[in-house]
């Protein structure tokens, strides 16, 4: 019996009802495909953190989660304001997305303070244990996991000595309110004296303080090292201006800072870090609990060198060091 003949013998009301039910199921299926949602919060916009965000989105797309099709994607920057980060975090938590991605320590702390249930994946957090995001580097059993951008400081100091062999006094501009930077300062205080070096601190609580903090180091240090401190990175051009004028060599922990005027950096490719973070997000979207995933680090370090910056800051780079770079910025 043909379907047209069968339907012709059914009451019209029943046919209409069946058609409506089929339409409802079709809409329900389409909506089911739209249910995955990821909300991304970054403490500030600068090249490294933007690269993390883009890497996360790329990893999701590679796994078949595409914004506007089967993924609701939200992104907001707190523009460097911790209070704003808290407001955005509360908004996201109220939305109850499948995953919140928090880029940089202040963002992650803002989200973690507001929820113990919504899955939180941090990225570009140097030390999640010190930041009290996870109790250890093991799977936490909580709603939190993520990817750290922690750098081995012995390798950072080795690079510094290759660039400025005669250095004895190392300056560091940093935000004392950022847990990542406080950890690095503490570690440098322990490590540098063992290598015959001393640390000279220059606090910069806000991005607008970076220039004056750097100027306070003129005549007091042989080189300035900066980690991935978000205040400093977001205002790196101000630091470069001081470095060029005072002929103080700048060594960075963030490779993008080399393109902006640092002499060298041995650091993480932050787009790769974003891809790694995105793959963690995909695991959670596919059903894995965040508390079952150990926090991760990246061992994919790359050396960036800027010979022009070296010349402006009074440094002669060895040919071997330049040849060993993954990227030479011209």
């Amino acid at each position: 019996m043909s379907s047209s003949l069968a339907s012709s013998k059914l009451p019209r009301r029943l046919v209409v009802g069946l058609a409506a039910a089929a339409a409802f199921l079709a809409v329900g299926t389409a909506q089911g495909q739209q249910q995955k949602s990821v909300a991304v919060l970054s403490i500030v916009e600068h090249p490294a953190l933007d690269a993390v965000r883009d890497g996360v989105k790329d990893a999701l797309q590679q796994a078949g989660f595409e914004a506007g099709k089967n993924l609701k994607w939200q992104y907001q920057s707190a523009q460097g304001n911790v209070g704003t980060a808290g407001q955005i975090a509360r908004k996201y938590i109220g939305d109850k997305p499948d995953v919140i991605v928090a880029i940089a320590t202040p963002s992650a702390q803002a989200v973690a303070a507001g929820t113990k249930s919504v899955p939180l994946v941090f990225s570009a957090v140097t030390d999640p244990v010190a930041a009290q995001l996870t109790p250890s580097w093991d799977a936490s059993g909580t709603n939190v996991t993520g990817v750290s951008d922690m750098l081995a400081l012995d390798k950072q100091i080795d690079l510094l000595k290759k660039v400025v062999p005669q250095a004895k006094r190392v300056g560091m501009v940093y935000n004392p309110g950022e847990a990542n930077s406080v950890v690095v300062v503490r570690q440098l205080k322990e490590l540098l004296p063992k290598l015959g070096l001393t640390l000279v601190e220059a606090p910069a609580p806000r991005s607008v303080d970076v220039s004056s903090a750097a100027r306070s180091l003129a005549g007091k240090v042989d080189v300035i090292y900066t980690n991935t401190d978000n205040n400093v990175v977001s205002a790196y051009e101000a630091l470069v201006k001081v470095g060029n004028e005072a002929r103080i060599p700048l060594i960075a922990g963030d490779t993008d800072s080399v393109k902006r005027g640092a002499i060298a950096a041995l650091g993480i490719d932050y787009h790769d870090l974003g891809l790694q973070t995105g793959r963690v997000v995909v695991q959670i979207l596919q059903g894995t609990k965040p508390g079952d995933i150990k926090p991760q680090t990246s061992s994919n370090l790359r050396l960036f060198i800027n010979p022009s910056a070296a010349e402006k800051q009074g440094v002669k780079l060895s040919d071997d060091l330049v040849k060993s770079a993954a990227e030479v910025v011209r």
Side-chain angles (χ1 to χ4, degrees):
M1 184 183 296
S2 71
S3 57
S4 58
L5 182 59
S7 56
S8 67
K9 293 184 177 181
L10 291 173
R12 177 174 174 77
R13 185 176 297 174
L14 180 57
V15 172
V16 172
L18 288 171
F24 177 81
L25 287 172
V27 170
T29 301
Q31 287 178 337
Q33 293 174 346
Q34 294 283 341
Q35 287 303 305
K36 299 302 181 185
S37 58
V38 174
V40 183
L41 166 60
S42 181
I43 188 59
V44 71
E45 290 176 299
H46 62 62
L49 301 190
D50 295 350
V52 173
R53 174 201 62 205
D54 295 344
V56 171
K57 195 170 189 179
D58 289 345
L60 288 168
Q61 188 166 356
Q62 290 169 12
F65 295 101
E66 190 168 350
K69 292 187 177 179
N70 60 348
L71 174 70
K72 180 181 179 182
W73 169 272
Q74 297 182 75
Y75 167 77
Q76 288 195 55
S77 164
Q79 303 298 329
N81 189 303
V82 175
T84 303
Q87 293 173 0
I88 297 170
R90 288 189 290 274
K91 166 66 167 58
Y92 280 172
I93 292 165
D95 291 344
K96 295 183 179 179
D98 292 291
V99 180
I100 296 176
V101 178
I103 303 174
T105 302
S107 301
Q109 289 173 322
V111 177
T115 182
K116 303 298 179 187
S117 57
V118 179
L120 165 59
V121 176
F122 61 78
S123 189
V125 170
T126 299
D127 191 336
V129 179
Q132 299 183 330
L133 296 171
T134 58
S136 73
W137 286 90
D138 294 322
S140 67
T142 69
N143 64 315
V144 181
T145 188
V147 182
S148 164
D149 61 352
M150 180 176 284
L151 298 171
L153 285 178
D154 56 343
K155 294 181 179 179
Q156 299 294 304
I157 302 307
D158 183 56
L159 172 62
L160 184 151
K161 293 179 78 172
K162 287 179 179 177
V163 175
V164 192
Q166 75 279 10
K168 294 296 180 184
R169 300 164 299 172
V170 179
M172 183 167 169
V173 180
Y174 73 101
N175 173 14
E178 185 165 327
N180 287 345
S181 299
V182 173
V183 169
V184 171
V185 168
R186 185 173 67 243
Q187 292 175 342
L188 286 175
K189 283 180 176 178
E190 296 174 359
L191 179 61
L192 290 178
K194 298 175 183 177
L195 302 172
L197 302 169
T198 57
L199 182 68
V200 182
E201 300 174 43
R206 304 167 299 166
S207 294
V208 294
D209 299 322
V210 170
S211 179
S212 59
R215 291 187 188 284
S216 74
L217 295 174
K220 299 177 183 177
V221 300
D222 305 307
V223 61
I224 294 176
Y225 171 74
T226 54
N227 67 322
T228 53
D229 184 289
N230 290 295
N231 275 1
V232 176
V233 175
S234 63
Y236 206 81
E237 283 75 13
L239 187 65
V240 170
K241 187 173 188 294
V242 175
N244 291 348
E245 291 175 353
R247 308 254 312 165
I248 305 173
L250 304 179
I251 309 298
D254 164 41
T255 54
D256 281 304
S257 294
V258 177
K259 300 174 184 177
R260 299 163 71 188
I263 294 174
L266 179 64
I268 292 166
D269 182 311
Y270 276 85
H271 185 264
D272 284 350
L273 194 78
L275 289 171
Q276 188 175 351
T277 304
R279 289 191 286 269
V280 173
V281 175
V282 169
Q283 284 183 263
I284 295 170
L285 293 179
Q286 293 176 340
T288 303
K289 294 180 180 179
D292 292 339
I293 304 172
K294 292 177 63 173
Q296 303 172 13
T297 58
S298 173
S299 58
N300 183 22
L301 298 182
R302 303 177 71 211
L303 175 61
F304 281 45
I305 294 286
N306 185 331
S308 175
E311 185 177 346
K312 292 175 184 176
Q313 293 160 26
V315 169
K316 172 65 176 174
L317 298 173
S318 71
D319 291 339
D320 288 344
L321 184 61
V322 175
K323 289 177 183 176
S324 68
E327 184 169 332
V328 178
V329 178
R330 301 294 184 184

